Amino acid sequence: SEMCIRDRQSTWERAKLCEEIKRLLKKQQALLSSLCESKLHFSKEDERMRAEIGLHKMLIEELNLKRDQMKSRKEELKQLKKEEDQRHFNKQRLFLALLRHE
């Protein structure tokens, strides 16, 4: 009789443990699913951010190129202005020389 009570008690305890294990396994499965979804989300987000960074790098290169072109254009304009000033100065000298000879 005492043996039967212990058997029933240990059967009941085993059943409780099985239920607890099943509950913990379900919880673990849910956590793993959540982790996989998060990982997928983050890898998509990572991919999107890498694409954005690539785009920004291209824009920066384009802006640097334009800046360099503007710098060289500015230098060209400076040079043209110098040449124009020199021509104007030469014309004035020529004009003054002509006035002196008259």
Side-chain angles (χ1 to χ4, degrees), residues 4-55:
C4 281
I5 292 171
R6 263 195 250 144
D7 271 355
R8 262 187 274 160
Q9 198 174 9
S10 90
T11 302
W12 181 78
E13 285 173 354
R14 277 198 298 270
K16 284 282 271 182
L17 282 172
C18 281
E19 288 304 311
E20 184 65 14
I21 288 170
K22 283 180 190 173
R23 189 184 69 74
L24 289 172
L25 284 171
K26 277 184 183 175
K27 194 173 183 177
Q28 182 185 39
Q29 189 58 49
L31 288 169
L32 283 172
S33 283
S34 173
L35 181 67
C36 288
E37 284 176 29
S38 293
K39 197 172 180 184
L40 185 65
H41 170 76
F42 284 121
S43 74
K44 283 181 182 175
E45 191 66 19
D46 187 48
E47 212 174 287
R48 187 187 63 76
M49 287 175 77
R50 285 178 196 270
E52 269 188 43
I53 288 170
L55 182 65

Side-chain angles (χ1 to χ4, degrees), residues 1 15 17 48 72 84:
S1 173
L17 282 172
R48 187 187 63 76
S72 72
E84 184 60 36

Side-chain angles (χ1 to χ4, degrees), residues 86-102:
Q86 188 63 47
R87 276 195 294 276
H88 183 69
F89 178 72
N90 289 344
K91 280 181 188 173
Q92 281 183 330
R93 280 180 43 200
L94 185 62
F95 181 69
L96 289 173
L98 288 172
L99 281 178
R100 271 190 237 124
H101 286 302
E102 282 186 12

Side-chain angles (χ1 to χ4, degrees), residues 48-62:
R48 187 187 63 76
M49 287 175 77
R50 285 178 196 270
E52 269 188 43
I53 288 170
L55 182 65
H56 284 240
K57 282 182 178 176
M58 280 173 39
L59 288 171
I60 288 169
E61 285 174 18
E62 199 175 308

Side-chain angles (χ1 to χ4, degrees), residues 68-78 80:
D68 293 346
Q69 288 171 344
M70 288 179 79
K71 274 184 183 175
S72 72
R73 183 71 182 130
K74 188 177 175 183
E75 287 303 313
E76 283 176 36
L77 290 171
K78 259 190 201 174
L80 287 172

